[in-house]
Amino acid sequence: HLSKCIIVNSEYSKKKLQHHYHCKESLFKVLHKGIENKLVTFNRENALQKKIPGSILFVKTDFVLGGLFNLIEAIENIDCKTILLIAGPAAKHHKMIESLLSKANISYELFDYMPPDKVYEKMERSEIFCVPSRQEAFGVANLEAIAMGCKIVSTNIGGIPEAVGCYAWLVEPDNPVALRNALLKAKDTSIENDWDEITRHLNHFSSTAVVLRFKEILEACL
C-alpha cells in the first residue's frame, strides 16, 4: 500500500495479489519474464531434423507441483512409441520415480539439475514439452521450449496461457485422461507452418522487449 509501483510477472499474479492485499489496480505493472534473443531467432526448421519421434520432455525441480505423476499416468501403456525425458528432480527421488516409470511400462531418461544450455539441447531434440503444472505464476520454460521447436502440452492454470498464447494444447490440472488426449493430438499435429507466427509471439518476450518494458515502467513510476 505504501509502494508507488508493484511489478509482477503475469496478469495472473497481478489479479492474485490485488485480490489478496486489496491494493489499487493502478499500482500493479506487468513485466513478463523473457527469453534470450538467440532463442527468438533460433532456426526451428533445422531443429525438426533433430527431433526424436515420440519424445516428451519434462523439466521441473519440484516435480510434484509440476505434475509429473499425472504425466506418468497419462502415458502409461500408451499405444504409440514414447520416451519420457525427465530433468530436474533431485537424485534422492530418482529411485522412487524410476519405480513408477517401470511399473507404467514407460521408456525414459532421468536427470537431476541441468544448466540452461543442457536443457536447451534436450528441448531441441524433443518433440513435445510437457510440464502439466498444478500451479504456475508464468511458466517461462514453455516459451523456451516453443522457441526450440517443441509442441507444448500443459495446463490452463496461472500464467501459462499468457506465456503460450494459442501455441499449445492446454488441459485442466490433475486430469490424466485429458492430458493423454492432448498429447496424442499434439503428436498427430504439425506446427511447421506456424513458425512465422510463433516468432512474432516470441518477440514479445525477447530480452530486448523485456528491458524496454522495464524502462517504460520505471519512467512511468518515477
Side-chain angles (χ1 to χ4, degrees):
H1 291 279
L2 299 177
S3 301
K4 291 180 65 176
C5 177
I6 303 167
I7 301 176
V8 294
N9 69 359
S10 65
E11 290 288 344
Y12 164 77
S13 296
K14 172 184 171 181
K15 293 175 182 176
K16 191 89 171 176
L17 290 170
Q18 183 186 356
H19 175 75
H20 185 78
Y21 291 104
H22 307 290
C23 292
K24 293 180 181 178
E25 183 178 1
S26 58
L27 283 177
F28 293 91
K29 305 296 180 184
V30 177
L31 181 67
H32 287 125
K33 290 182 180 179
I35 60 175
E36 299 176 67
N37 287 336
K38 70 177 182 180
L39 295 184
V40 177
T41 58
F42 180 78
N43 192 322
R44 286 170 276 282
E45 193 68 40
N46 287 345
L48 286 180
Q49 313 304 319
K50 300 180 181 180
K51 298 293 184 186
I52 302 171
S55 54
I56 301 173
L57 176 62
F58 174 97
V59 180
K60 191 78 170 178
T61 301
D62 189 342
F63 59 93
V64 176
L65 191 65
L68 179 58
F69 297 150
N70 289 315
L71 178 55
I72 291 174
E73 187 176 345
I75 62 177
E76 182 175 2
N77 296 314
I78 201 166
D79 293 335
C80 56
K81 183 178 179 181
T82 301
I83 178 169
L84 180 57
L85 311 176
I86 303 171
K92 63 183 180 181
H93 300 298
H94 285 197
K95 188 174 181 180
M96 177 271 293
I97 294 173
E98 288 173 342
S99 176
L100 290 174
L101 292 165
S102 297
K103 289 179 181 177
N105 194 31
I106 297 173
S107 299
Y108 67 90
E109 294 180 13
L110 179 58
F111 311 91
D112 50 19
Y113 170 79
M114 278 187 175
D117 286 347
K118 293 297 182 182
V119 171
Y120 296 157
E121 289 177 8
K122 295 296 181 186
M123 288 177 172
E124 187 176 2
R125 296 178 60 82
S126 299
E127 180 181 1
I128 296 173
F129 182 79
C130 182
V131 181
S133 296
R134 305 169 74 186
Q135 182 179 328
E136 193 72 66
F138 183 62
V140 72
N142 289 302
L143 275 176
E144 294 169 334
I146 290 174
M148 304 302 289
C150 296
K151 303 169 187 178
I152 308 299
V153 178
S154 190
T155 46
N156 57 3
I157 54 108
I160 292 175
E162 295 175 54
V164 301
C166 61
Y167 305 106
W169 288 262
L170 301 181
V171 301
E172 293 293 325
D174 296 319
N175 190 334
V177 174
L179 185 61
R180 180 189 182 98
N181 291 335
L183 288 166
L184 292 173
K185 287 179 182 177
K187 181 173 175 56
D188 291 338
T189 303
S190 172
I191 58 174
E192 293 178 55
N193 295 329
D194 297 331
W195 289 156
D196 289 342
E197 291 182 10
I198 285 173
T199 300
R200 283 193 287 272
H201 176 75
L202 293 173
N203 266 310
H204 293 294
F205 302 97
S206 69
S207 55
T208 297
V210 172
V211 170
L212 290 174
R213 171 63 177 155
F214 188 36
K215 182 180 177 183
E216 290 175 359
I217 291 172
L218 293 179
E219 290 175 343
C221 293
L222 295 178

